[in-house]
Amino acid sequence: MKKILVPTDRSQNAKNALNYALNLLRGEEAEFVLFQSYDIPTYTADMPVPVETWGAGELKKILEKDAKELSDQYRDEKFKFSVSVSAGSLAFNVDDAVSRMEIDMVVMGTKGASGLTAALIGSNTADVIQAATCPVLAVPENAKMSGPRNILFASDNKGLSDPAIVAPLIEISKKFGAHVHLMNVLDEGKFTSVDEAVAGLKLDHLLEGIEHSFHFENSDDKAQAIEDYLNTHNIDFLAVIPRRNNFFDAIFHKSVTRKLSLHTKVPMLAMHVLGK
């Protein structure tokens, strides 16, 4: 059974992300863990600290009620719902929960009229992507609830020797019969290296049985190239590998992402190899 961690503040945005994940996993066995992380209040010398942890009990009761309602609503599915509440940093708590609960995927909502990445960078979702050791699905508030049909996998073709890295992409693509657009953005004037070509062949083999096509772009503004492709090819799902020291470092770097405004209706799956 898959175990999905869903950090939530019970906002409409968070509910939309959960609904998207529920639709994505219909027909599968999955446990959804409704997770809320909260900050511990800071007290001064003349303000006594309460004996009990502030808010934890009430938050858990609220989430348990939500879990019960979801269980009733999805009684015909192979879903389970549980809750967890932790105090402290969201990114730290999510990372801890992923390890402690053996989480398979984290699902979070994103929001902001200025674009998906603008909503991610400098936000809780960006922090979770940086910290988590499992795939993270970031779902914009306006995402369509239907399964993906055209998936853009923007990659530098590096580090793809382990099939487990792209397993979530392969699984989703097969389930929904999606076409995978494999996009490699090269610097202006650069050509695909032998190593990159070999990696592309490996990826082609991994995607055997899945409709897919390769696309190469030359641009020094890689984020803009990805945005342009999203907007001109009817893409409804974006997959990336957020690894440091590659061109996705540009996407996740705050000083660069001011130039990036990705389509706000496209969920983004970060398949995790960050730091490698």
Side-chain angles (χ1 to χ4, degrees), residues 7 15 19 33 35 43 82 88 108 110 120 133 144 149 167 173-174 179 181 190 207 216:
K15 292 176 182 177
N19 287 335
V33 182
F35 178 80
Y43 296 92
S82 59
M108 294 185 68
T110 64
L120 287 173
T133 53
K144 294 180 180 179
R149 305 298 297 177
S173 302
K174 286 183 176 179
H179 181 104
H181 302 245
K190 294 290 183 67
L207 293 174
F216 297 89

Side-chain angles (χ1 to χ4, degrees), residues 51-243:
V51 175
E52 295 184 354
T53 304
W54 179 84
E58 288 303 313
L59 286 176
K60 191 171 183 181
K61 287 179 182 178
I62 292 171
L63 291 183
E64 286 174 344
K65 181 180 178 182
D66 291 344
K68 176 62 169 58
E69 291 176 354
L70 287 165
S71 294
D72 293 339
Q73 182 180 351
Y74 290 93
R75 62 169 59 92
D76 295 331
E77 293 287 342
K78 304 173 185 177
F79 293 159
K80 289 177 57 179
F81 298 92
S82 59
V83 305
S84 179
V85 174
S86 293
S89 160
L90 175 63
F92 176 85
N93 286 336
V94 167
D95 184 39
D96 175 69
V98 166
S99 175
R100 177 168 43 85
M101 300 181 189
E102 298 182 342
I103 297 296
D104 295 296
M105 180 183 291
V106 176
V107 177
M108 294 185 68
T110 64
K111 60 183 177 180
S114 56
L116 172 58
T117 301
L120 287 173
I121 304 306
S123 72
N124 284 332
T125 310
D127 293 338
V128 168
I129 289 174
Q130 293 284 328
T133 53
C134 71
V136 177
L137 178 60
V139 183
E141 57 186 340
N142 296 320
K144 294 180 180 179
M145 293 297 124
S146 58
R149 305 298 297 177
N150 282 284
I151 299 175
L152 174 60
F153 177 28
S155 167
D156 58 4
N157 285 352
K158 295 179 181 178
L160 296 174
S161 57
D162 183 0
I165 296 172
V166 293
L169 169 65
I170 293 172
E171 186 175 347
I172 291 170
S173 302
K174 286 183 176 179
K175 180 174 182 177
F176 293 97
H179 181 104
V180 178
H181 302 245
L182 299 153
M183 183 181 184
N184 190 353
V185 185
L186 304 170
D187 291 331
E188 290 286 358
K190 294 290 183 67
F191 299 94
T192 303
S193 68
V194 173
D195 289 342
E196 288 170 338
V198 171
L201 290 174
K202 290 181 180 178
L203 188 55
D204 186 52
H205 176 70
L206 289 174
L207 293 174
E208 186 176 357
I210 297 172
E211 185 179 337
H212 62 279
S213 54
F214 286 87
H215 306 271
F216 297 89
E217 299 283 343
N218 284 92
S219 176
D220 290 330
D221 191 341
K222 297 172 176 60
Q224 184 64 51
I226 293 170
E227 179 187 357
D228 291 343
Y229 197 93
L230 284 172
N231 293 331
T232 56
H233 289 78
N234 199 28
I235 301 297
D236 51 15
F237 196 90
L238 172 64
V240 300
I241 299 177
R243 195 167 50 246

